[in-house]
Amino acid sequence: MIAHEANFDGLVGPTHNYSGLSVGNIASATYSHQISNPKSAALQGLNKMKVLANLGLIQGVIAPQMRPDIKMLRRLGFNGSDRCVLQQASQHAPKLLTSCYSASSMWAANAATVSPSADTADKRVHFTVANLASHFHRSIEHQTTSRILAAMFNNDNYFCHHQPLPVSAQLGDEGAANHSRFCHQHGEPGVEMFVFGRYGFDQRQQAPTRYPARQTYEASAAIVRLHQLDPQRVVMAQQNPLLIDQGVFHNDVIAVANQHTLFCHQHAFLDQADVYQQLQQKMGMALSIIEVPNNVISVDDAISSYLFNSQLVTLPNGDVSLVLPQQCQHNPRIWQYIQQLLQTSSDINRVDLFDLNQSMQNGGGPACLRLRVVLTDQEQQAVNPAVLLTDTLFKRLQVWINRHYRDQLVEADLVDPELLHQSQTALDELTQILKLGAVYDFQRV
């Protein structure tokens, strides 16, 4: 069966801000409380989508969450008009206010785990929306994410949507940021690798001690069952807990895969040699491993540059591109390694650089911004066409962003009810542009 991998990028929301909410994410902590630029952030992400679409890739758009989540603030005991709710939260629980203002849904790699029809028993594409249980500001996303994905992939003959796993510490699920798929051709059965940080119920197993391990074994195992995957074509790999404690909060910060290629750091996994052996054995074909030695690229350099938080994509002409943030070019050690890689690797033969500074300063690079979905031609035809990027949609979204987004945002702005109303107006219009229907649940009070 012929199939192609599509990228669905999260559109940066109107309340993009730096509140330092993500424990274990170095960039998020470093840039906490600084001035953000929502308009620039959204245009940077949209530009990446357009360039990849121009290269011949299938590119889609995932709408952001409605922020602030005023209904959640009311659920937490703040009442009165919208203005009163915002003022009360700002005065008595400022962290709850910034959490309910988070624009973190832009990182679509955390939206869900997706298994293509070639891998599932019922031959449908399976989606499990991530519960994002490790952080409050992300755990409030999954209901809206479920509605958005259901509106995008809205044909039960081709797509199967599962409820998020129960929100609990033992079943923490962070989505595709901890999931990779290996194959020869996208339309053929593949091997899916689920990467977890700890065991939810067995405290005797190795785990990080400084920062939380966000993905549990139990959550990954549940998704394998829900997606009706063949266990003989699944690899369960544990993140190196020492790296989590250094700031590798998701697997996609230290490894990226594409078809038969794995590009990763020397210390990405616990028992790394065993992970390689399982992948080789279950694929039944040559697996190309590009392992970057620690004495060439340190973990700190990998985190600051987001070398591995890249997209590794096969273009229609057969070229394989490493999609990188510009920060990689700014680090001499990283850039020298990339130049050597292009000269010596037969698996990666081009690099595409992007200015994603607004996202990077909040802790997310190219890989964070996109959800990968393998689609056959029939399945692609069943996707809501309004969310697939075209020249027309690109121009329309540019106009929409420039009309509705602020140039700058500081935390003091979060108490302004006008920002709430601007966001509601913007996203109400966006649902019409993307033909999503009533995915947002808001009303002005």
Side-chain angles (χ1 to χ4, degrees), residues 12 16-18 31 34-45 106-107 327 355-364 407-409:
V12 179
H16 167 71
N17 68 93
Y18 300 137
Y31 290 93
Q34 295 195 17
I35 298 172
S36 66
N37 188 320
K39 182 180 294 184
S40 177
L43 292 174
Q44 285 174 0
M106 61 194 275
W107 296 308
Q327 278 76 359
D355 176 6
L356 298 169
N357 195 52
Q358 286 289 312
S359 177
M360 289 284 289
Q361 289 182 173
N362 222 1
D407 287 316
Q408 291 188 340
L409 206 62

PDB file of all heavy atoms in Angstrom, residues 12 16-18 31 34-45 106-107 327 355-364 407-409:
ATOM      1  N   VAL A  12       0.661  28.428  16.724  1.00  0.00           N
ATOM      2  CA  VAL A  12       0.913  29.134  17.981  1.00  0.00           C
ATOM      3  C   VAL A  12      -0.291  30.006  18.326  1.00  0.00           C
ATOM      4  O   VAL A  12      -0.824  30.721  17.477  1.00  0.00           O
ATOM      5  CB  VAL A  12       2.182  29.998  17.871  1.00  0.00           C
ATOM      6  CG1 VAL A  12       2.431  30.743  19.181  1.00  0.00           C
ATOM      7  CG2 VAL A  12       3.386  29.128  17.516  1.00  0.00           C
ATOM      8  N   HIS A  16       0.663  33.297  23.488  1.00  0.00           N
ATOM      9  CA  HIS A  16       2.037  32.813  23.619  1.00  0.00           C
ATOM     10  C   HIS A  16       2.806  33.683  24.602  1.00  0.00           C
ATOM     11  O   HIS A  16       2.964  34.886  24.402  1.00  0.00           O
ATOM     12  CB  HIS A  16       2.701  32.840  22.236  1.00  0.00           C
ATOM     13  CG  HIS A  16       4.196  32.675  22.258  1.00  0.00           C
ATOM     14  ND1 HIS A  16       4.807  31.478  22.562  1.00  0.00           N
ATOM     15  CD2 HIS A  16       5.194  33.543  21.998  1.00  0.00           C
ATOM     16  CE1 HIS A  16       6.118  31.617  22.486  1.00  0.00           C
ATOM     17  NE2 HIS A  16       6.378  32.869  22.149  1.00  0.00           N
ATOM     18  N   ASN A  17       3.271  33.055  25.712  1.00  0.00           N
ATOM     19  CA  ASN A  17       3.974  33.819  26.738  1.00  0.00           C
ATOM     20  C   ASN A  17       4.995  32.938  27.442  1.00  0.00           C
ATOM     21  O   ASN A  17       4.973  31.710  27.324  1.00  0.00           O
ATOM     22  CB  ASN A  17       2.982  34.418  27.743  1.00  0.00           C
ATOM     23  CG  ASN A  17       2.293  33.363  28.586  1.00  0.00           C
ATOM     24  OD1 ASN A  17       2.739  33.025  29.679  1.00  0.00           O
ATOM     25  ND2 ASN A  17       1.170  32.806  28.070  1.00  0.00           N
ATOM     26  N   TYR A  18       5.892  33.568  28.164  1.00  0.00           N
ATOM     27  CA  TYR A  18       6.970  32.864  28.862  1.00  0.00           C
ATOM     28  C   TYR A  18       6.725  32.895  30.365  1.00  0.00           C
ATOM     29  O   TYR A  18       7.081  33.860  31.039  1.00  0.00           O
ATOM     30  CB  TYR A  18       8.317  33.513  28.550  1.00  0.00           C
ATOM     31  CG  TYR A  18       8.693  33.529  27.088  1.00  0.00           C
ATOM     32  CD1 TYR A  18       9.243  34.666  26.503  1.00  0.00           C
ATOM     33  CD2 TYR A  18       8.507  32.405  26.277  1.00  0.00           C
ATOM     34  CE1 TYR A  18       9.609  34.693  25.166  1.00  0.00           C
ATOM     35  CE2 TYR A  18       8.864  32.415  24.944  1.00  0.00           C
ATOM     36  CZ  TYR A  18       9.415  33.565  24.388  1.00  0.00           C
ATOM     37  OH  TYR A  18       9.769  33.581  23.064  1.00  0.00           O
ATOM     38  N   TYR A  31      14.022  31.375  30.147  1.00  0.00           N
ATOM     39  CA  TYR A  31      13.380  32.563  29.587  1.00  0.00           C
ATOM     40  C   TYR A  31      12.107  32.962  30.333  1.00  0.00           C
ATOM     41  O   TYR A  31      11.341  33.806  29.854  1.00  0.00           O
ATOM     42  CB  TYR A  31      13.071  32.335  28.110  1.00  0.00           C
ATOM     43  CG  TYR A  31      14.324  32.298  27.261  1.00  0.00           C
ATOM     44  CD1 TYR A  31      14.964  31.099  26.982  1.00  0.00           C
ATOM     45  CD2 TYR A  31      14.888  33.466  26.769  1.00  0.00           C
ATOM     46  CE1 TYR A  31      16.132  31.058  26.224  1.00  0.00           C
ATOM     47  CE2 TYR A  31      16.046  33.448  26.005  1.00  0.00           C
ATOM     48  CZ  TYR A  31      16.661  32.235  25.741  1.00  0.00           C
ATOM     49  OH  TYR A  31      17.819  32.206  25.000  1.00  0.00           O
ATOM     50  N   GLN A  34      10.106  36.658  30.630  1.00  0.00           N
ATOM     51  CA  GLN A  34      10.563  37.613  29.634  1.00  0.00           C
ATOM     52  C   GLN A  34       9.412  37.994  28.695  1.00  0.00           C
ATOM     53  O   GLN A  34       8.375  37.346  28.662  1.00  0.00           O
ATOM     54  CB  GLN A  34      11.742  37.044  28.845  1.00  0.00           C
ATOM     55  CG  GLN A  34      12.983  36.820  29.713  1.00  0.00           C
ATOM     56  CD  GLN A  34      14.241  36.600  28.901  1.00  0.00           C
ATOM     57  OE1 GLN A  34      14.286  36.916  27.716  1.00  0.00           O
ATOM     58  NE2 GLN A  34      15.266  36.062  29.542  1.00  0.00           N
ATOM     59  N   ILE A  35       9.622  39.049  27.934  1.00  0.00           N
ATOM     60  CA  ILE A  35       8.611  39.521  26.991  1.00  0.00           C
ATOM     61  C   ILE A  35       8.524  38.543  25.822  1.00  0.00           C
ATOM     62  O   ILE A  35       9.545  38.148  25.252  1.00  0.00           O
ATOM     63  CB  ILE A  35       8.957  40.928  26.477  1.00  0.00           C
ATOM     64  CG1 ILE A  35       8.980  41.920  27.638  1.00  0.00           C
ATOM     65  CG2 ILE A  35       7.961  41.384  25.413  1.00  0.00           C
ATOM     66  CD1 ILE A  35       9.501  43.300  27.255  1.00  0.00           C
ATOM     67  N   SER A  36       7.319  38.153  25.458  1.00  0.00           N
ATOM     68  CA  SER A  36       7.117  37.264  24.308  1.00  0.00           C
ATOM     69  C   SER A  36       6.509  38.059  23.158  1.00  0.00           C
ATOM     70  O   SER A  36       5.985  39.150  23.340  1.00  0.00           O
ATOM     71  CB  SER A  36       6.192  36.100  24.677  1.00  0.00           C
ATOM     72  OG  SER A  36       4.885  36.565  24.959  1.00  0.00           O
ATOM     73  N   ASN A  37       6.563  37.465  21.979  1.00  0.00           N
ATOM     74  CA  ASN A  37       6.002  38.088  20.779  1.00  0.00           C
ATOM     75  C   ASN A  37       5.078  37.080  20.094  1.00  0.00           C
ATOM     76  O   ASN A  37       5.508  36.304  19.250  1.00  0.00           O
ATOM     77  CB  ASN A  37       7.115  38.512  19.830  1.00  0.00           C
ATOM     78  CG  ASN A  37       6.598  39.336  18.655  1.00  0.00           C
ATOM     79  OD1 ASN A  37       5.546  39.044  18.109  1.00  0.00           O
ATOM     80  ND2 ASN A  37       7.331  40.366  18.271  1.00  0.00           N
ATOM     81  N   PRO A  38       3.802  37.068  20.482  1.00  0.00           N
ATOM     82  CA  PRO A  38       2.877  36.085  19.905  1.00  0.00           C
ATOM     83  C   PRO A  38       2.778  36.142  18.389  1.00  0.00           C
ATOM     84  O   PRO A  38       2.733  35.108  17.726  1.00  0.00           O
ATOM     85  CB  PRO A  38       1.538  36.430  20.567  1.00  0.00           C
ATOM     86  CG  PRO A  38       1.910  37.121  21.835  1.00  0.00           C
ATOM     87  CD  PRO A  38       3.154  37.888  21.524  1.00  0.00           C
ATOM     88  N   LYS A  39       2.739  37.352  17.828  1.00  0.00           N
ATOM     89  CA  LYS A  39       2.602  37.467  16.378  1.00  0.00           C
ATOM     90  C   LYS A  39       3.809  36.865  15.673  1.00  0.00           C
ATOM     91  O   LYS A  39       3.673  36.088  14.712  1.00  0.00           O
ATOM     92  CB  LYS A  39       2.430  38.933  15.976  1.00  0.00           C
ATOM     93  CG  LYS A  39       2.220  39.150  14.480  1.00  0.00           C
ATOM     94  CD  LYS A  39       2.044  40.626  14.129  1.00  0.00           C
ATOM     95  CE  LYS A  39       0.776  41.184  14.724  1.00  0.00           C
ATOM     96  NZ  LYS A  39       0.551  42.596  14.303  1.00  0.00           N
ATOM     97  N   SER A  40       4.996  37.201  16.140  1.00  0.00           N
ATOM     98  CA  SER A  40       6.207  36.657  15.540  1.00  0.00           C
ATOM     99  C   SER A  40       6.260  35.141  15.691  1.00  0.00           C
ATOM    100  O   SER A  40       6.634  34.422  14.757  1.00  0.00           O
ATOM    101  CB  SER A  40       7.435  37.292  16.185  1.00  0.00           C
ATOM    102  OG  SER A  40       8.626  36.732  15.672  1.00  0.00           O
ATOM    103  N   ALA A  41       5.870  34.637  16.860  1.00  0.00           N
ATOM    104  CA  ALA A  41       5.894  33.191  17.104  1.00  0.00           C
ATOM    105  C   ALA A  41       4.989  32.451  16.124  1.00  0.00           C
ATOM    106  O   ALA A  41       5.372  31.431  15.536  1.00  0.00           O
ATOM    107  CB  ALA A  41       5.464  32.900  18.539  1.00  0.00           C
ATOM    108  N   ALA A  42       3.778  32.970  15.939  1.00  0.00           N
ATOM    109  CA  ALA A  42       2.826  32.316  15.031  1.00  0.00           C
ATOM    110  C   ALA A  42       3.305  32.376  13.588  1.00  0.00           C
ATOM    111  O   ALA A  42       3.188  31.389  12.841  1.00  0.00           O
ATOM    112  CB  ALA A  42       1.456  32.967  15.155  1.00  0.00           C
ATOM    113  N   LEU A  43       3.874  33.496  13.183  1.00  0.00           N
ATOM    114  CA  LEU A  43       4.357  33.630  11.804  1.00  0.00           C
ATOM    115  C   LEU A  43       5.586  32.758  11.562  1.00  0.00           C
ATOM    116  O   LEU A  43       5.749  32.213  10.464  1.00  0.00           O
ATOM    117  CB  LEU A  43       4.657  35.098  11.498  1.00  0.00           C
ATOM    118  CG  LEU A  43       3.444  36.022  11.439  1.00  0.00           C
ATOM    119  CD1 LEU A  43       3.883  37.477  11.282  1.00  0.00           C
ATOM    120  CD2 LEU A  43       2.506  35.627  10.291  1.00  0.00           C
ATOM    121  N   GLN A  44       6.453  32.606  12.564  1.00  0.00           N
ATOM    122  CA  GLN A  44       7.608  31.723  12.425  1.00  0.00           C
ATOM    123  C   GLN A  44       7.156  30.281  12.200  1.00  0.00           C
ATOM    124  O   GLN A  44       7.658  29.587  11.317  1.00  0.00           O
ATOM    125  CB  GLN A  44       8.487  31.808  13.669  1.00  0.00           C
ATOM    126  CG  GLN A  44       9.316  33.076  13.773  1.00  0.00           C
ATOM    127  CD  GLN A  44      10.066  33.190  15.100  1.00  0.00           C
ATOM    128  OE1 GLN A  44       9.961  32.320  15.958  1.00  0.00           O
ATOM    129  NE2 GLN A  44      10.819  34.269  15.257  1.00  0.00           N
ATOM    130  N   GLY A  45       6.200  29.826  13.010  1.00  0.00           N
ATOM    131  CA  GLY A  45       5.701  28.463  12.848  1.00  0.00           C
ATOM    132  C   GLY A  45       4.996  28.259  11.527  1.00  0.00           C
ATOM    133  O   GLY A  45       5.161  27.229  10.867  1.00  0.00           O
ATOM    134  N   MET A 106       0.819  24.526  21.188  1.00  0.00           N
ATOM    135  CA  MET A 106       1.565  24.726  19.948  1.00  0.00           C
ATOM    136  C   MET A 106       2.477  23.542  19.656  1.00  0.00           C
ATOM    137  O   MET A 106       2.776  23.261  18.495  1.00  0.00           O
ATOM    138  CB  MET A 106       2.391  26.010  20.022  1.00  0.00           C
ATOM    139  CG  MET A 106       3.423  26.013  21.132  1.00  0.00           C
ATOM    140  SD  MET A 106       4.119  27.656  21.483  1.00  0.00           S
ATOM    141  CE  MET A 106       5.404  27.739  20.269  1.00  0.00           C
ATOM    142  N   TRP A 107       2.910  22.854  20.703  1.00  0.00           N
ATOM    143  CA  TRP A 107       3.816  21.708  20.519  1.00  0.00           C
ATOM    144  C   TRP A 107       2.992  20.446  20.270  1.00  0.00           C
ATOM    145  O   TRP A 107       2.699  19.657  21.168  1.00  0.00           O
ATOM    146  CB  TRP A 107       4.744  21.591  21.717  1.00  0.00           C
ATOM    147  CG  TRP A 107       5.627  22.807  21.788  1.00  0.00           C
ATOM    148  CD1 TRP A 107       6.402  23.328  20.775  1.00  0.00           C
ATOM    149  CD2 TRP A 107       5.777  23.688  22.889  1.00  0.00           C
ATOM    150  NE1 TRP A 107       7.026  24.471  21.200  1.00  0.00           N
ATOM    151  CE2 TRP A 107       6.672  24.715  22.482  1.00  0.00           C
ATOM    152  CE3 TRP A 107       5.264  23.709  24.186  1.00  0.00           C
ATOM    153  CZ2 TRP A 107       7.050  25.752  23.329  1.00  0.00           C
ATOM    154  CZ3 TRP A 107       5.649  24.744  25.029  1.00  0.00           C
ATOM    155  CH2 TRP A 107       6.526  25.743  24.599  1.00  0.00           C
ATOM    156  N   GLN A 327      19.506  27.806  15.870  1.00  0.00           N
ATOM    157  CA  GLN A 327      20.443  27.709  16.986  1.00  0.00           C
ATOM    158  C   GLN A 327      21.556  26.706  16.715  1.00  0.00           C
ATOM    159  O   GLN A 327      22.656  26.832  17.256  1.00  0.00           O
ATOM    160  CB  GLN A 327      19.692  27.316  18.267  1.00  0.00           C
ATOM    161  CG  GLN A 327      19.010  28.470  18.985  1.00  0.00           C
ATOM    162  CD  GLN A 327      17.736  28.932  18.318  1.00  0.00           C
ATOM    163  OE1 GLN A 327      17.327  28.409  17.284  1.00  0.00           O
ATOM    164  NE2 GLN A 327      17.065  29.915  18.915  1.00  0.00           N
ATOM    165  N   ASP A 355      14.107  29.832  11.526  1.00  0.00           N
ATOM    166  CA  ASP A 355      14.059  30.740  12.658  1.00  0.00           C
ATOM    167  C   ASP A 355      12.793  30.420  13.452  1.00  0.00           C
ATOM    168  O   ASP A 355      11.686  30.766  13.040  1.00  0.00           O
ATOM    169  CB  ASP A 355      14.037  32.194  12.174  1.00  0.00           C
ATOM    170  CG  ASP A 355      13.899  33.189  13.331  1.00  0.00           C
ATOM    171  OD1 ASP A 355      13.944  32.761  14.497  1.00  0.00           O
ATOM    172  OD2 ASP A 355      13.733  34.395  13.063  1.00  0.00           O
ATOM    173  N   LEU A 356      12.985  29.742  14.567  1.00  0.00           N
ATOM    174  CA  LEU A 356      11.879  29.390  15.460  1.00  0.00           C
ATOM    175  C   LEU A 356      12.191  29.898  16.863  1.00  0.00           C
ATOM    176  O   LEU A 356      11.891  29.246  17.867  1.00  0.00           O
ATOM    177  CB  LEU A 356      11.675  27.867  15.477  1.00  0.00           C
ATOM    178  CG  LEU A 356      11.307  27.229  14.140  1.00  0.00           C
ATOM    179  CD1 LEU A 356      11.398  25.716  14.226  1.00  0.00           C
ATOM    180  CD2 LEU A 356       9.902  27.644  13.712  1.00  0.00           C
ATOM    181  N   ASN A 357      12.791  31.062  16.923  1.00  0.00           N
ATOM    182  CA  ASN A 357      13.332  31.554  18.176  1.00  0.00           C
ATOM    183  C   ASN A 357      12.274  31.683  19.270  1.00  0.00           C
ATOM    184  O   ASN A 357      12.533  31.363  20.434  1.00  0.00           O
ATOM    185  CB  ASN A 357      14.006  32.914  17.959  1.00  0.00           C
ATOM    186  CG  ASN A 357      14.897  33.298  19.116  1.00  0.00           C
ATOM    187  OD1 ASN A 357      15.756  32.535  19.532  1.00  0.00           O
ATOM    188  ND2 ASN A 357      14.686  34.485  19.662  1.00  0.00           N
ATOM    189  N   GLN A 358      11.076  32.128  18.910  1.00  0.00           N
ATOM    190  CA  GLN A 358      10.027  32.289  19.913  1.00  0.00           C
ATOM    191  C   GLN A 358       9.645  30.944  20.534  1.00  0.00           C
ATOM    192  O   GLN A 358       9.461  30.835  21.744  1.00  0.00           O
ATOM    193  CB  GLN A 358       8.801  32.950  19.284  1.00  0.00           C
ATOM    194  CG  GLN A 358       8.970  34.432  19.004  1.00  0.00           C
ATOM    195  CD  GLN A 358       8.989  35.265  20.267  1.00  0.00           C
ATOM    196  OE1 GLN A 358       8.145  35.112  21.149  1.00  0.00           O
ATOM    197  NE2 GLN A 358       9.952  36.166  20.372  1.00  0.00           N
ATOM    198  N   SER A 359       9.551  29.920  19.711  1.00  0.00           N
ATOM    199  CA  SER A 359       9.250  28.584  20.226  1.00  0.00           C
ATOM    200  C   SER A 359      10.429  28.021  21.010  1.00  0.00           C
ATOM    201  O   SER A 359      10.258  27.428  22.080  1.00  0.00           O
ATOM    202  CB  SER A 359       8.890  27.647  19.073  1.00  0.00           C
ATOM    203  OG  SER A 359       8.663  26.328  19.549  1.00  0.00           O
ATOM    204  N   MET A 360      11.633  28.201  20.486  1.00  0.00           N
ATOM    205  CA  MET A 360      12.827  27.675  21.143  1.00  0.00           C
ATOM    206  C   MET A 360      12.992  28.256  22.542  1.00  0.00           C
ATOM    207  O   MET A 360      13.354  27.554  23.491  1.00  0.00           O
ATOM    208  CB  MET A 360      14.058  27.977  20.292  1.00  0.00           C
ATOM    209  CG  MET A 360      14.154  27.167  19.015  1.00  0.00           C
ATOM    210  SD  MET A 360      14.669  25.464  19.300  1.00  0.00           S
ATOM    211  CE  MET A 360      16.397  25.699  19.737  1.00  0.00           C
ATOM    212  N   GLN A 361      12.727  29.548  22.698  1.00  0.00           N
ATOM    213  CA  GLN A 361      12.883  30.172  24.003  1.00  0.00           C
ATOM    214  C   GLN A 361      11.854  29.659  25.012  1.00  0.00           C
ATOM    215  O   GLN A 361      12.045  29.785  26.222  1.00  0.00           O
ATOM    216  CB  GLN A 361      12.773  31.697  23.872  1.00  0.00           C
ATOM    217  CG  GLN A 361      13.972  32.311  23.187  1.00  0.00           C
ATOM    218  CD  GLN A 361      13.905  33.821  23.081  1.00  0.00           C
ATOM    219  OE1 GLN A 361      14.849  34.460  22.662  1.00  0.00           O
ATOM    220  NE2 GLN A 361      12.765  34.396  23.458  1.00  0.00           N
ATOM    221  N   ASN A 362      10.795  29.068  24.524  1.00  0.00           N
ATOM    222  CA  ASN A 362       9.798  28.481  25.407  1.00  0.00           C
ATOM    223  C   ASN A 362       9.971  26.974  25.539  1.00  0.00           C
ATOM    224  O   ASN A 362       9.174  26.306  26.181  1.00  0.00           O
ATOM    225  CB  ASN A 362       8.387  28.810  24.906  1.00  0.00           C
ATOM    226  CG  ASN A 362       7.452  29.187  26.039  1.00  0.00           C
ATOM    227  OD1 ASN A 362       7.844  29.224  27.192  1.00  0.00           O
ATOM    228  ND2 ASN A 362       6.206  29.463  25.708  1.00  0.00           N
ATOM    229  N   GLY A 363      11.026  26.431  24.882  1.00  0.00           N
ATOM    230  CA  GLY A 363      11.387  25.032  25.112  1.00  0.00           C
ATOM    231  C   GLY A 363      10.962  24.055  24.054  1.00  0.00           C
ATOM    232  O   GLY A 363      10.907  22.846  24.310  1.00  0.00           O
ATOM    233  N   GLY A 364      10.665  24.511  22.819  1.00  0.00           N
ATOM    234  CA  GLY A 364      10.244  23.588  21.775  1.00  0.00           C
ATOM    235  C   GLY A 364      10.852  23.910  20.434  1.00  0.00           C
ATOM    236  O   GLY A 364      10.849  25.070  20.008  1.00  0.00           O
ATOM    237  N   ASP A 407       1.812  42.163  19.283  1.00  0.00           N
ATOM    238  CA  ASP A 407       3.249  42.129  19.015  1.00  0.00           C
ATOM    239  C   ASP A 407       4.027  41.686  20.243  1.00  0.00           C
ATOM    240  O   ASP A 407       5.027  40.966  20.130  1.00  0.00           O
ATOM    241  CB  ASP A 407       3.749  43.511  18.571  1.00  0.00           C
ATOM    242  CG  ASP A 407       3.311  43.857  17.164  1.00  0.00           C
ATOM    243  OD1 ASP A 407       3.412  42.984  16.288  1.00  0.00           O
ATOM    244  OD2 ASP A 407       2.855  44.986  16.945  1.00  0.00           O
ATOM    245  N   GLN A 408       3.591  42.116  21.416  1.00  0.00           N
ATOM    246  CA  GLN A 408       4.294  41.772  22.648  1.00  0.00           C
ATOM    247  C   GLN A 408       3.306  41.378  23.728  1.00  0.00           C
ATOM    248  O   GLN A 408       2.149  41.823  23.736  1.00  0.00           O
ATOM    249  CB  GLN A 408       5.139  42.955  23.142  1.00  0.00           C
ATOM    250  CG  GLN A 408       6.336  43.281  22.268  1.00  0.00           C
ATOM    251  CD  GLN A 408       7.234  44.330  22.913  1.00  0.00           C
ATOM    252  OE1 GLN A 408       6.821  45.066  23.805  1.00  0.00           O
ATOM    253  NE2 GLN A 408       8.483  44.376  22.465  1.00  0.00           N
ATOM    254  N   LEU A 409       3.808  40.526  24.640  1.00  0.00           N
ATOM    255  CA  LEU A 409       2.981  40.100  25.765  1.00  0.00           C
ATOM    256  C   LEU A 409       3.881  39.960  26.991  1.00  0.00           C
ATOM    257  O   LEU A 409       4.946  39.340  26.919  1.00  0.00           O
ATOM    258  CB  LEU A 409       2.307  38.770  25.452  1.00  0.00           C
ATOM    259  CG  LEU A 409       0.985  38.443  26.164  1.00  0.00           C
ATOM    260  CD1 LEU A 409      -0.090  39.455  25.786  1.00  0.00           C
ATOM    261  CD2 LEU A 409       0.518  37.044  25.792  1.00  0.00           C
TER     262      LEU A 409
END
